[in-house]
Amino acid sequence: MAREHKRLGDMLIEAKLLTASDLAKAIDEQRKSGELLGSTLVRLGMISEAMLVRQLQQQLNLPFVDLADVTVDEQALALVREDLARKYLALPIEVERRSSLTVAMADPLNIAAIEDLRFQSGMYIKPVLAMPSAIQEAIERYYHIDSSVNEVINSIISSEDELVVSTVTEDEKAQAIDDLIKESEGRPIVRLTNWLLHRAIEERASDIHIEPQYKDLIVRLRVDGLLHEMQRLPKWTQSAVVSRLKVLSNLDIAEKRLPQDGRLMVEIAGRRVDMRVSTLPTTHGEKMVMRIVDQGHSMRVLDDVGLGVEDRGRIEAYLARPHGIIIVTGPTGSGKSTLLYAALRQLQTVTKNIVTVEDPVEYQIPGINQVQVDEKAKKTFPGALRAILRQDPDVIMIGEIRDKETAQIAFRASVTGHLVLSTVHTNDAPGAVTRLVDLGLEPYMVASSLIGVVSMRLVRTVCPKCRETYEVSAASLNRLGAQGAAEGSLQLTRGKGCPACRNTGYLGRTGIYETLEVTDTLRALITQNVSDAQIRTAAIEQGMHGLGEDGLRKVLDGHTTLEEVSRVVYLADQGAKVCPACAFVLAREYDYCPSCGDFVGEHCESCRRRLDPAWAWCPFCGAGTHPAGDATRGRAPASGTDAALDTALGAALDAARPPRRRRPAPERLKRAS
């Protein structure tokens, strides 16, 4: 304890960094200027700032804080007046356990300063070391944050017209942006957060990510399914930006150690936009993600979601059923909710009572009764479903089947005269069947109630303003899973990149689909509790086409690109291929094209004779064959476009195809002849 109260001058003399005469001169100068002794020593050049801090750190064993890498808490700043912070070169950083205040100090040996800070804040003072110049700069920045943020705003905001944001007042509990948003001359931090929200909506973002890093604050937007960086802000803006958004979302500003969820609502250019806000404590501060739900742009009908003629007909047939359950499956962000809302709008009539139970309610549809799950209020999916069944519903939409109890109630409702729509998280349509069984449902219940399963993904569409066509050989396209090569070339479409699409070549998204209809054959297999691979094989035999087939159809139709479909779907597993005669997309299992009847099975590229995939050489012309069917001789050299496709897609797509069983030699030769 004696070492903690030793004076700074004595410590520096003991460390031989200062002489007694130098100390006496510094003390005389300090009495004239009234500043701290350490600052006086640095100003007179008797000791450097770094030497001073290093000596204090060694002697006092206090942690050193680099204020350029620290986010200062606004709640802590409010506890200490600016004049007191300037007098003692002390900056409050954060409040710990509501009773301790961490303060960065240039001279933690100043007992009078610590006592004054304790009296001012009413808290126990926990001093840490920091550079005096850094403390002075931070005091200027944090106690006058408006002027500091103004400098940032002037460097990134080019026009005040971008801040046209107004408040929406409704009776619902969702917190709206306050009246300051209307004022272009409001507080700079208000203008900065308004600009961030406006830019996100202007760029059609679905999510805003505010991510604290070691030395800065990164703002990223998810546009058309991919994240891109929008802005980097100084680290010291982190606390102000996050606190402002917390206030708007009705979250607890003081709570920084636990995740929080909230909601805010804005109206921009006459459009209402809801935002779901989520915070997550990380090593560098609180990360915030805001999901944007644009009510004006998100409400789609079945004509607008990219359904093909065949899939559209099947889904409409499912919706025409009086009872049963329809499942939509896919990963997070694959468009499941949008498809379900489009289906509800298809079903909506004055003669039907449609009720939904969701967590949360994303889009509000007039005329439909929507219930939001609230775990804190013990309003769970099962509890809400039981109440809904007493409300005389015709159609029930369940946001997600995530547990056994919800699944049982949903399927019981489907067999008692209700049409039920819901979602399950699986990779494909057949996997949804086994997932329901894994949740605890009996196979016979799934088989008797399930009408159909729709699996979907979202792919980016080619920008209409910079689209161009290019040629690719059908042989290169069939490397995605075809068993033989085709002659000739195909016309595909891609985007060159322009300002409208931010030079990505893509603008907007559409869906690719896999629709499984539960027929009597599939019901028998489900009852036997077979694997999803067997269900998939039987479904393909009955005409189901995979996600890859639908994706390739959209590629050939010019809606998207091959690279984009390959990004969201592993095409080698999907096994889609293109008929060389009519460019029809078909399943890998087919040997003949169902459109024109042409042979599309495995064959030699040189002599076009049928081959077994296990043959290394063609027994008819002697050409060498690749295990996936690519001839090594007699093949025209690939063009630049084909070579680029080969590089992008790779031989891994070919190698991923499951090998067929090798037949006995006599039977194989008979098949080849």
Side-chain angles (χ1 to χ4, degrees), residues 327-336 400-402 422-439 450 452-457 512 514 516 532 536 547 568-569 574:
I327 297 293
V328 180
T329 183
T332 302
S334 60
K336 300 186 299 296
E400 180 187 350
I401 294 178
R402 58 179 66 163
S422 188
T423 68
V424 173
H425 285 286
T426 58
N427 290 327
D428 56 13
V433 177
T434 54
R435 170 63 178 157
L436 291 170
V437 176
D438 290 342
L439 282 174
L450 192 61
V453 182
V454 181
S455 180
M456 66 179 298
R457 301 288 191 278
I512 58 175
E514 176 180 85
L516 182 147
D532 54 353
R536 183 176 190 83
L547 288 167
V568 299
V569 178
Q574 296 293 316

Tab-separated table of all heavy atoms in Angstrom, residues 327-336 400-402 422-439 450 452-457 512 514 516 532 536 547 568-569 574:
chain	number	residue	atom	x	y	z
A	327	ILE	N	-45.516	-28.524	-46.890
A	327	ILE	CA	-44.271	-28.130	-46.248
A	327	ILE	C	-43.390	-27.400	-47.266
A	327	ILE	O	-43.227	-27.852	-48.403
A	327	ILE	CB	-43.510	-29.356	-45.694
A	327	ILE	CG1	-44.339	-30.049	-44.605
A	327	ILE	CG2	-42.153	-28.953	-45.156
A	327	ILE	CD1	-44.528	-29.247	-43.355
A	328	VAL	N	-42.814	-26.273	-46.847
A	328	VAL	CA	-41.808	-25.569	-47.637
A	328	VAL	C	-40.491	-25.682	-46.879
A	328	VAL	O	-40.440	-25.428	-45.673
A	328	VAL	CB	-42.178	-24.089	-47.843
A	328	VAL	CG1	-41.102	-23.376	-48.669
A	328	VAL	CG2	-43.527	-23.973	-48.530
A	329	THR	N	-39.438	-26.088	-47.581
A	329	THR	CA	-38.168	-26.341	-46.916
A	329	THR	C	-37.037	-25.611	-47.614
A	329	THR	O	-37.114	-25.268	-48.788
A	329	THR	CB	-37.872	-27.854	-46.868
A	329	THR	OG1	-36.663	-28.085	-46.164
A	329	THR	CG2	-37.749	-28.421	-48.272
A	330	GLY	N	-35.980	-25.378	-46.865
A	330	GLY	CA	-34.807	-24.681	-47.375
A	330	GLY	C	-34.058	-24.032	-46.227
A	330	GLY	O	-34.586	-23.911	-45.116
A	331	PRO	N	-32.825	-23.599	-46.457
A	331	PRO	CA	-32.059	-22.945	-45.390
A	331	PRO	C	-32.595	-21.555	-45.063
A	331	PRO	O	-33.492	-21.042	-45.748
A	331	PRO	CB	-30.638	-22.875	-45.968
A	331	PRO	CG	-30.835	-22.875	-47.445
A	331	PRO	CD	-32.055	-23.708	-47.707
A	332	THR	N	-32.031	-20.937	-44.038
A	332	THR	CA	-32.421	-19.581	-43.667
A	332	THR	C	-32.143	-18.612	-44.813
A	332	THR	O	-31.083	-18.649	-45.425
A	332	THR	CB	-31.647	-19.140	-42.415
A	332	THR	OG1	-31.919	-20.054	-41.356
A	332	THR	CG2	-32.060	-17.745	-41.991
A	333	GLY	N	-33.125	-17.750	-45.093
A	333	GLY	CA	-32.951	-16.764	-46.149
A	333	GLY	C	-33.154	-17.294	-47.551
A	333	GLY	O	-32.701	-16.683	-48.516
A	334	SER	N	-33.855	-18.427	-47.683
A	334	SER	CA	-34.069	-19.010	-49.009
A	334	SER	C	-35.424	-18.647	-49.602
A	334	SER	O	-35.780	-19.155	-50.671
A	334	SER	CB	-33.928	-20.542	-48.940
A	334	SER	OG	-34.885	-21.095	-48.053
A	335	GLY	N	-36.204	-17.792	-48.937
A	335	GLY	CA	-37.474	-17.337	-49.505
A	335	GLY	C	-38.689	-18.131	-49.074
A	335	GLY	O	-39.759	-17.984	-49.682
A	336	LYS	N	-38.577	-18.943	-48.035
A	336	LYS	CA	-39.702	-19.786	-47.606
A	336	LYS	C	-40.898	-18.944	-47.169
A	336	LYS	O	-42.038	-19.218	-47.573
A	336	LYS	CB	-39.266	-20.707	-46.461
A	336	LYS	CG	-38.130	-21.650	-46.793
A	336	LYS	CD	-37.850	-22.623	-45.670
A	336	LYS	CE	-37.449	-21.947	-44.384
A	336	LYS	NZ	-36.164	-21.214	-44.500
A	400	GLU	N	-42.841	-22.159	-38.414
A	400	GLU	CA	-41.819	-23.206	-38.488
A	400	GLU	C	-42.203	-24.345	-37.562
A	400	GLU	O	-42.648	-24.127	-36.429
A	400	GLU	CB	-40.444	-22.651	-38.089
A	400	GLU	CG	-39.339	-23.683	-38.134
A	400	GLU	CD	-38.027	-23.163	-37.590
A	400	GLU	OE1	-37.930	-21.949	-37.346
A	400	GLU	OE2	-37.107	-23.979	-37.401
A	401	ILE	N	-42.038	-25.577	-38.039
A	401	ILE	CA	-42.192	-26.763	-37.193
A	401	ILE	C	-40.809	-27.089	-36.647
A	401	ILE	O	-39.926	-27.537	-37.378
A	401	ILE	CB	-42.768	-27.952	-37.988
A	401	ILE	CG1	-44.198	-27.639	-38.428
A	401	ILE	CG2	-42.728	-29.217	-37.146
A	401	ILE	CD1	-44.844	-28.735	-39.252
A	402	ARG	N	-40.627	-26.838	-35.344
A	402	ARG	CA	-39.290	-26.983	-34.776
A	402	ARG	C	-39.231	-27.982	-33.632
A	402	ARG	O	-38.146	-28.228	-33.094
A	402	ARG	CB	-38.789	-25.624	-34.290
A	402	ARG	CG	-39.683	-24.969	-33.259
A	402	ARG	CD	-39.145	-23.622	-32.790
A	402	ARG	NE	-39.145	-22.619	-33.832
A	402	ARG	CZ	-39.038	-21.312	-33.590
A	402	ARG	NH1	-38.915	-20.877	-32.350
A	402	ARG	NH2	-39.051	-20.457	-34.588
A	422	SER	N	-46.586	-24.883	-43.596
A	422	SER	CA	-45.513	-24.650	-42.632
A	422	SER	C	-44.162	-24.822	-43.305
A	422	SER	O	-44.066	-25.130	-44.496
A	422	SER	CB	-45.639	-25.608	-41.441
A	422	SER	OG	-44.711	-25.246	-40.430
A	423	THR	N	-43.098	-24.604	-42.523
A	423	THR	CA	-41.731	-24.738	-43.031
A	423	THR	C	-40.930	-25.676	-42.136
A	423	THR	O	-41.216	-25.836	-40.944
A	423	THR	CB	-41.012	-23.375	-43.080
A	423	THR	OG1	-40.794	-22.908	-41.745
A	423	THR	CG2	-41.813	-22.363	-43.865
A	424	VAL	N	-39.910	-26.288	-42.740
A	424	VAL	CA	-38.959	-27.144	-42.028
A	424	VAL	C	-37.582	-26.854	-42.620
A	424	VAL	O	-37.454	-26.627	-43.822
A	424	VAL	CB	-39.306	-28.645	-42.171
A	424	VAL	CG1	-38.219	-29.511	-41.567
A	424	VAL	CG2	-40.634	-28.960	-41.500
A	425	HIS	N	-36.568	-26.882	-41.792
A	425	HIS	CA	-35.211	-26.623	-42.279
A	425	HIS	C	-34.550	-27.930	-42.705
A	425	HIS	O	-34.072	-28.706	-41.879
A	425	HIS	CB	-34.371	-25.950	-41.190
A	425	HIS	CG	-34.709	-24.511	-40.977
A	425	HIS	ND1	-34.354	-23.520	-41.861
A	425	HIS	CD2	-35.392	-23.893	-39.985
A	425	HIS	CE1	-34.785	-22.349	-41.423
A	425	HIS	NE2	-35.426	-22.553	-40.289
A	426	THR	N	-34.528	-28.200	-44.000
A	426	THR	CA	-33.785	-29.329	-44.570
A	426	THR	C	-33.179	-28.889	-45.889
A	426	THR	O	-33.508	-27.834	-46.431
A	426	THR	CB	-34.686	-30.562	-44.803
A	426	THR	OG1	-35.754	-30.194	-45.682
A	426	THR	CG2	-35.255	-31.090	-43.510
A	427	ASN	N	-32.291	-29.716	-46.437
A	427	ASN	CA	-31.584	-29.342	-47.660
A	427	ASN	C	-32.402	-29.584	-48.917
A	427	ASN	O	-32.187	-28.915	-49.925
A	427	ASN	CB	-30.259	-30.106	-47.765
A	427	ASN	CG	-29.249	-29.632	-46.736
A	427	ASN	OD1	-29.227	-28.454	-46.391
A	427	ASN	ND2	-28.428	-30.539	-46.241
A	428	ASP	N	-33.302	-30.564	-48.897
A	428	ASP	CA	-34.089	-30.858	-50.094
A	428	ASP	C	-35.466	-31.343	-49.686
A	428	ASP	O	-35.773	-31.519	-48.495
A	428	ASP	CB	-33.380	-31.891	-50.990
A	428	ASP	CG	-33.043	-33.186	-50.253
A	428	ASP	OD1	-33.559	-33.382	-49.135
A	428	ASP	OD2	-32.281	-34.002	-50.792
A	429	ALA	N	-36.314	-31.580	-50.681
A	429	ALA	CA	-37.701	-31.970	-50.398
A	429	ALA	C	-37.797	-33.355	-49.759
A	429	ALA	O	-38.517	-33.526	-48.763
A	429	ALA	CB	-38.521	-31.898	-51.688
A	430	PRO	N	-37.117	-34.398	-50.272
A	430	PRO	CA	-37.215	-35.708	-49.605
A	430	PRO	C	-36.712	-35.676	-48.169
A	430	PRO	O	-37.211	-36.415	-47.313
A	430	PRO	CB	-36.339	-36.607	-50.492
A	430	PRO	CG	-36.333	-35.955	-51.822
A	430	PRO	CD	-36.353	-34.492	-51.537
A	431	GLY	N	-35.722	-34.808	-47.875
A	431	GLY	CA	-35.213	-34.739	-46.515
A	431	GLY	C	-36.232	-34.236	-45.520
A	431	GLY	O	-36.130	-34.519	-44.318
A	432	ALA	N	-37.241	-33.480	-45.977
A	432	ALA	CA	-38.277	-32.991	-45.076
A	432	ALA	C	-39.100	-34.138	-44.500
A	432	ALA	O	-39.558	-34.078	-43.354
A	432	ALA	CB	-39.183	-32.000	-45.802
A	433	VAL	N	-39.298	-35.190	-45.292
A	433	VAL	CA	-40.089	-36.337	-44.826
A	433	VAL	C	-39.385	-37.019	-43.666
A	433	VAL	O	-39.981	-37.281	-42.612
A	433	VAL	CB	-40.340	-37.315	-45.992
A	433	VAL	CG1	-41.099	-38.533	-45.497
A	433	VAL	CG2	-41.097	-36.628	-47.124
A	434	THR	N	-38.101	-37.317	-43.846
A	434	THR	CA	-37.368	-37.986	-42.769
A	434	THR	C	-37.178	-37.060	-41.571
A	434	THR	O	-37.108	-37.521	-40.437
A	434	THR	CB	-36.000	-38.457	-43.282
A	434	THR	OG1	-35.302	-37.350	-43.864
A	434	THR	CG2	-36.170	-39.530	-44.348
A	435	ARG	N	-37.095	-35.759	-41.803
A	435	ARG	CA	-36.965	-34.808	-40.699
A	435	ARG	C	-38.211	-34.833	-39.820
A	435	ARG	O	-38.119	-34.791	-38.582
A	435	ARG	CB	-36.731	-33.405	-41.256
A	435	ARG	CG	-36.817	-32.272	-40.252
A	435	ARG	CD	-35.764	-32.372	-39.188
A	435	ARG	NE	-35.811	-31.260	-38.251
A	435	ARG	CZ	-35.332	-31.299	-37.025
A	435	ARG	NH1	-34.742	-32.397	-36.574
A	435	ARG	NH2	-35.412	-30.239	-36.235
A	436	LEU	N	-39.376	-34.912	-40.414
A	436	LEU	CA	-40.620	-34.975	-39.644
A	436	LEU	C	-40.677	-36.245	-38.807
A	436	LEU	O	-41.151	-36.231	-37.667
A	436	LEU	CB	-41.817	-34.902	-40.590
A	436	LEU	CG	-42.024	-33.544	-41.291
A	436	LEU	CD1	-43.085	-33.672	-42.375
A	436	LEU	CD2	-42.423	-32.479	-40.286
A	437	VAL	N	-40.187	-37.341	-39.374
A	437	VAL	CA	-40.150	-38.598	-38.612
A	437	VAL	C	-39.153	-38.481	-37.467
A	437	VAL	O	-39.404	-38.952	-36.343
A	437	VAL	CB	-39.809	-39.775	-39.541
A	437	VAL	CG1	-39.661	-41.073	-38.729
A	437	VAL	CG2	-40.887	-39.952	-40.602
A	438	ASP	N	-38.003	-37.809	-37.729
A	438	ASP	CA	-37.001	-37.623	-36.674
A	438	ASP	C	-37.534	-36.761	-35.526
A	438	ASP	O	-37.090	-36.907	-34.382
A	438	ASP	CB	-35.742	-36.973	-37.257
A	438	ASP	CG	-34.976	-37.914	-38.169
A	438	ASP	OD1	-35.209	-39.131	-38.074
A	438	ASP	OD2	-34.169	-37.427	-38.991
A	439	LEU	N	-38.464	-35.857	-35.827
A	439	LEU	CA	-39.046	-35.022	-34.779
A	439	LEU	C	-39.936	-35.818	-33.830
A	439	LEU	O	-40.306	-35.314	-32.769
A	439	LEU	CB	-39.854	-33.885	-35.402
A	439	LEU	CG	-39.058	-32.701	-35.956
A	439	LEU	CD1	-39.982	-31.719	-36.665
A	439	LEU	CD2	-38.300	-31.983	-34.845
A	450	LEU	N	-49.417	-35.645	-45.349
A	450	LEU	CA	-48.569	-34.797	-46.175
A	450	LEU	C	-49.048	-34.774	-47.622
A	450	LEU	O	-49.196	-35.818	-48.255
A	450	LEU	CB	-47.117	-35.281	-46.103
A	450	LEU	CG	-46.049	-34.355	-46.668
A	450	LEU	CD1	-46.033	-33.027	-45.935
A	450	LEU	CD2	-44.668	-35.024	-46.563
A	452	GLY	N	-47.617	-32.404	-50.090
A	452	GLY	CA	-46.454	-32.165	-50.926
A	452	GLY	C	-45.411	-31.355	-50.183
A	452	GLY	O	-45.698	-30.726	-49.163
A	453	VAL	N	-44.183	-31.373	-50.721
A	453	VAL	CA	-43.065	-30.642	-50.142
A	453	VAL	C	-42.428	-29.803	-51.248
A	453	VAL	O	-42.192	-30.303	-52.353
A	453	VAL	CB	-42.017	-31.585	-49.523
A	453	VAL	CG1	-40.888	-30.776	-48.890
A	453	VAL	CG2	-42.653	-32.513	-48.508
A	454	VAL	N	-42.175	-28.545	-50.950
A	454	VAL	CA	-41.523	-27.653	-51.903
A	454	VAL	C	-40.196	-27.219	-51.301
A	454	VAL	O	-40.165	-26.606	-50.226
A	454	VAL	CB	-42.392	-26.415	-52.211
A	454	VAL	CG1	-41.684	-25.513	-53.222
A	454	VAL	CG2	-43.752	-26.833	-52.729
A	455	SER	N	-39.097	-27.555	-51.973
A	455	SER	CA	-37.776	-27.089	-51.564
A	455	SER	C	-37.361	-25.962	-52.492
A	455	SER	O	-37.631	-26.003	-53.695
A	455	SER	CB	-36.756	-28.231	-51.640
A	455	SER	OG	-35.474	-27.786	-51.241
A	456	MET	N	-36.704	-24.945	-51.944
A	456	MET	CA	-36.375	-23.784	-52.772
A	456	MET	C	-35.064	-23.143	-52.347
A	456	MET	O	-34.581	-23.321	-51.226
A	456	MET	CB	-37.514	-22.763	-52.731
A	456	MET	CG	-37.734	-22.111	-51.382
A	456	MET	SD	-39.083	-20.894	-51.413
A	456	MET	CE	-38.444	-19.706	-52.598
A	457	ARG	N	-34.477	-22.421	-53.278
A	457	ARG	CA	-33.320	-21.567	-53.050
A	457	ARG	C	-33.544	-20.269	-53.810
A	457	ARG	O	-34.374	-20.204	-54.716
A	457	ARG	CB	-32.022	-22.208	-53.558
A	457	ARG	CG	-31.677	-23.537	-52.948
A	457	ARG	CD	-31.226	-23.417	-51.505
A	457	ARG	NE	-30.675	-24.670	-51.038
A	457	ARG	CZ	-31.399	-25.693	-50.590
A	457	ARG	NH1	-32.728	-25.571	-50.553
A	457	ARG	NH2	-30.828	-26.791	-50.187
A	512	ILE	N	-35.500	-20.992	-57.343
A	512	ILE	CA	-35.443	-22.270	-58.047
A	512	ILE	C	-36.072	-23.300	-57.111
A	512	ILE	O	-35.898	-23.238	-55.888
A	512	ILE	CB	-34.016	-22.656	-58.449
A	512	ILE	CG1	-33.086	-22.731	-57.233
A	512	ILE	CG2	-33.477	-21.679	-59.483
A	512	ILE	CD1	-31.676	-23.219	-57.571
A	514	GLU	N	-37.898	-27.338	-56.172
A	514	GLU	CA	-37.974	-28.789	-56.256
A	514	GLU	C	-39.283	-29.182	-55.574
A	514	GLU	O	-39.443	-28.952	-54.370
A	514	GLU	CB	-36.773	-29.411	-55.552
A	514	GLU	CG	-36.769	-30.917	-55.488
A	514	GLU	CD	-35.528	-31.425	-54.769
A	514	GLU	OE1	-35.544	-31.487	-53.528
A	514	GLU	OE2	-34.539	-31.741	-55.461
A	516	LEU	N	-42.019	-31.989	-54.553
A	516	LEU	CA	-42.269	-33.415	-54.340
A	516	LEU	C	-43.748	-33.614	-54.027
A	516	LEU	O	-44.252	-33.073	-53.040
A	516	LEU	CB	-41.406	-33.935	-53.192
A	516	LEU	CG	-41.492	-35.415	-52.844
A	516	LEU	CD1	-40.134	-35.915	-52.356
A	516	LEU	CD2	-42.545	-35.705	-51.775
A	532	ASP	N	-34.230	-41.013	-47.085
A	532	ASP	CA	-34.611	-39.943	-48.010
A	532	ASP	C	-34.060	-40.184	-49.409
A	532	ASP	O	-34.622	-39.713	-50.398
A	532	ASP	CB	-34.164	-38.584	-47.478
A	532	ASP	CG	-32.686	-38.552	-47.154
A	532	ASP	OD1	-32.046	-39.605	-47.221
A	532	ASP	OD2	-32.173	-37.464	-46.825
A	536	ARG	N	-36.242	-40.006	-52.722
A	536	ARG	CA	-35.848	-39.148	-53.839
A	536	ARG	C	-35.843	-39.926	-55.158
A	536	ARG	O	-36.319	-39.426	-56.178
A	536	ARG	CB	-34.461	-38.555	-53.569
A	536	ARG	CG	-34.020	-37.606	-54.657
A	536	ARG	CD	-32.695	-36.940	-54.338
A	536	ARG	NE	-32.433	-35.880	-55.293
A	536	ARG	CZ	-32.909	-34.664	-55.204
A	536	ARG	NH1	-33.675	-34.323	-54.177
A	536	ARG	NH2	-32.644	-33.761	-56.127
A	547	LEU	N	-33.523	-29.304	-57.798
A	547	LEU	CA	-33.182	-27.883	-57.782
A	547	LEU	C	-32.205	-27.548	-58.907
A	547	LEU	O	-32.296	-26.491	-59.533
A	547	LEU	CB	-32.563	-27.518	-56.430
A	547	LEU	CG	-33.501	-27.477	-55.225
A	547	LEU	CD1	-32.681	-27.417	-53.936
A	547	LEU	CD2	-34.436	-26.293	-55.304
A	568	VAL	N	-25.352	-21.753	-55.098
A	568	VAL	CA	-26.386	-22.097	-54.118
A	568	VAL	C	-26.766	-23.572	-54.143
A	568	VAL	O	-27.373	-24.063	-53.197
A	568	VAL	CB	-27.654	-21.234	-54.328
A	568	VAL	CG1	-27.331	-19.774	-54.157
A	568	VAL	CG2	-28.276	-21.482	-55.687
A	569	VAL	N	-26.414	-24.295	-55.218
A	569	VAL	CA	-26.771	-25.710	-55.327
A	569	VAL	C	-25.551	-26.481	-55.789
A	569	VAL	O	-24.857	-26.050	-56.718
A	569	VAL	CB	-27.932	-25.925	-56.334
A	569	VAL	CG1	-28.240	-27.402	-56.467
A	569	VAL	CG2	-29.170	-25.167	-55.893
A	574	GLN	N	-27.081	-32.833	-57.743
A	574	GLN	CA	-28.393	-32.712	-58.368
A	574	GLN	C	-28.489	-33.547	-59.633
A	574	GLN	O	-29.541	-34.064	-59.972
A	574	GLN	CB	-28.672	-31.244	-58.690
A	574	GLN	CG	-28.769	-30.360	-57.469
A	574	GLN	CD	-29.980	-30.689	-56.623
A	574	GLN	OE1	-31.067	-30.889	-57.145
A	574	GLN	NE2	-29.789	-30.765	-55.312
